Amino acid sequence: ILDSYETFVEPRRTLPYRIQRLTNITPAMLVGAPAFSAIAPRLRALLGDAPLVGHSVGFDASFLRKMHLAERNALLDTYELASLLLPTLPSYSLGTVAEHLGVAAPTHHRALADAVLARDVLLALEARIRALPDEVLADLCELAPPLVLPASLPLHQERTRRGLSSGSNTTTFARAINAQLRMNPNVLDLHVATLADPAPRPLVARTDGQRGEIRDISDAVTSALTQRQAALIELAAPSDSVEAVLGPAMAWALPGAQRLVIAAATPAAARAIVEVHLPRALGRLATPPDAAPTVALCAEPRDYLCLHRWYGPLRTAVAATPETMRGLAKLTVWAHDTATGARDEITLPSMEAPAWDLVRGSATFTETPGCAYRERGWCFARRARDAAASAQIVVTTHAALFASGGPTALPAADGYLLTEAHLLEEGVMASAAHTIEADALTRTLDCLWRRDGRGNGGLLDRAVRAIPGDTGQNWGNTVGRAREAATAFFAALSAVPADLPPAGKGANASEGAPQ
């Protein structure tokens, strides 16, 4: 720390109460505080032309630039950098990031304290960058040029420090392996390669000291499972809802080694059942370790990373937005550490979600013959499915449970327990229906073929170069016409009035006639 400066500023307005509660700054503290114009020269001299570091620093810089300060200073955002390097955090607030990195944060919402905290967070994130494997660092730099994602500048500086060349880091020998095995040799660097056995793991119970199940709920669950009947149970307390039914279900399943399938509304809720609620339920039953059931978590193929697509050309062929590029960069860091490849492990906001669509699994790749990743046991979706086949307790989602056969089919069970039944209709519709959205369709077509001021691009453009004659160009023209037709189709749909009369109420409808 070469210098520091901190001062209150006269706000020229009444201090809002919500700001007082947030910062613990009171109007009395601002009595006699200087106006911003009085401190501007001191602040300008302090900043100079140095880069400005902060958490969502663009927000802070906008106020300075409104006052004609820091107009040419580069910005380094620890929020953006943390989102790239810590892809599984549920939140990227400064306090959450600092806590995850083990950085002490004694004071919040004070200018100097937050500035020092942002400095410490930056240093911790730089240490994370230095610990990245060469291949991950190279992939991140290729995906995220500084002009697209300014937060990636420290990544490129680290690549330069290591002396790694730009462009593909795949050696000639590795390309030869790839040609022989039909899979990218970098898959051997994934954490999944260190897994010994994909078999389901025993679930170890832990006692949490909570109260036992309510008697009538226990009787209802046990009776329904024993007699193979349906029971609809409504519970008022959300904290007890899952455990109250899991306890008697476990008591029914364990003695006779009955297979039980538990379905939750979302993959995240299913994971919470495996990691939190099931151990609590078993703890209440005082289940000995040797009697612990094997548990497998199995969602739909689309909820897992597909290595066939991850190492394919799509990531580099698509003209991605900065948000999609950020999502791909986060996936690059996560893919090197994940043991399950499950979507719910990583935090991708809606703006970054298209990145997942580029690399997610599907029934096509799970079942396609000849996939080297699946044949050698690397397929995340197939590993989850195989584990479910030999587990006593299978935890899944509503959508996966009701998928009609195919690769998402789960093994037959002796009993079924569906949590969050009020969301069941959405899960059934998700498995039985298909939605086509204009943006998703045009994005897919652009991945295949696009033409802009720089020429042609997309996956087909790569294939065209190896095909003599006009065949490749005809493919591109066909995709181009399909895109034009899709644009016209959705434009026509948008012109349909939203207030059409309901069936049977139209002007030409005869009374009583079916419509």
Side-chain angles (χ1 to χ4, degrees), residues 188-464:
L188 301 176
D189 294 315
L190 289 183
H191 181 67
V192 69
T194 67
L195 297 179
D197 187 356
R201 59 183 176 86
L203 195 65
V204 179
R206 65 171 185 268
T207 304
D208 56 6
Q210 296 187 12
R211 62 184 177 83
E213 276 76 23
I214 303 172
R215 185 71 258 164
D216 56 350
I217 292 177
S218 178
D219 291 342
V221 173
T222 304
S223 175
L225 290 170
T226 301
Q227 301 178 27
R228 304 293 196 269
Q229 294 177 341
L232 182 63
I233 300 174
E234 182 176 0
L235 297 169
S239 61
D240 291 338
S241 60
V242 178
E243 285 91 343
V245 294
L246 282 178
M250 291 295 100
W252 166 84
L254 293 182
Q258 309 266 41
R259 186 196 293 273
L260 178 68
V261 170
I262 305 170
T266 65
R271 184 174 296 277
I273 288 177
V274 171
E275 297 178 352
V276 179
H277 302 302
L278 269 178
R280 287 178 180 173
L282 291 172
R284 293 176 183 176
L285 295 175
T287 307
D290 58 350
T294 53
V295 177
L297 181 61
C298 183
E300 293 184 279
R302 64 180 294 117
D303 294 319
Y304 295 96
L305 177 70
C306 175
L307 295 178
H308 188 94
R309 303 180 76 187
W310 178 252
Y311 288 117
L314 189 58
R315 283 187 296 159
T316 55
V318 63
T321 64
E323 292 78 15
T324 302
M325 297 291 277
R326 185 183 301 111
L328 288 171
K330 293 169 71 171
L331 286 167
T332 299
V333 176
W334 167 76
H336 191 266
D337 296 324
T338 182
T340 68
R343 165 69 174 84
D344 64 288
E345 287 183 352
I346 185 171
T347 303
L348 287 176
S350 58
M351 295 293 288
E352 299 171 3
W356 180 255
D357 290 334
L358 295 175
V359 297
R360 63 171 175 80
S362 68
T364 301
F365 290 113
T366 305
E367 292 299 302
T368 299
C371 175
Y373 300 100
R374 189 186 71 249
E375 292 173 353
R376 290 166 176 80
W378 306 119
C379 177
F380 289 116
R382 178 54 71 92
R383 290 173 67 91
R385 179 183 171 185
D386 292 345
S390 57
Q392 183 183 1
I393 309 298
V394 178
V395 183
T396 186
T397 63
H398 294 168
L401 179 62
F402 286 95
S404 54
T408 59
L410 297 169
D414 302 299
Y416 295 85
L417 178 63
L418 279 63
T419 66
E420 304 168 288
H422 61 289
L423 301 175
L424 181 60
E425 182 181 8
E426 295 181 18
V428 175
M429 291 183 63
S431 64
H434 185 72
T435 300
I436 299 178
E437 298 181 355
D439 291 343
L441 179 57
T442 54
R443 192 164 57 240
T444 300
L445 293 173
D446 286 343
C447 287
L448 289 173
W449 181 274
R450 67 180 185 276
R451 178 174 296 168
D452 51 33
R454 296 172 297 177
N456 298 331
L459 294 174
L460 287 181
D461 180 57
R462 297 188 173 195
V464 165

Side-chain angles (χ1 to χ4, degrees), residues 128-168:
R128 288 292 183 107
I129 293 175
R130 290 192 295 272
L132 288 173
D134 286 352
E135 65 276 5
V136 175
L137 179 64
D139 283 347
L140 285 172
C141 291
E142 293 302 316
L143 279 171
L147 292 178
V148 177
L149 295 181
S152 67
L153 180 60
L155 300 172
H156 290 263
Q157 292 174 335
E158 175 63 15
R159 182 176 68 173
T160 301
R161 187 191 70 81
R162 296 188 194 183
L164 301 178
S165 61
S166 60
S168 174

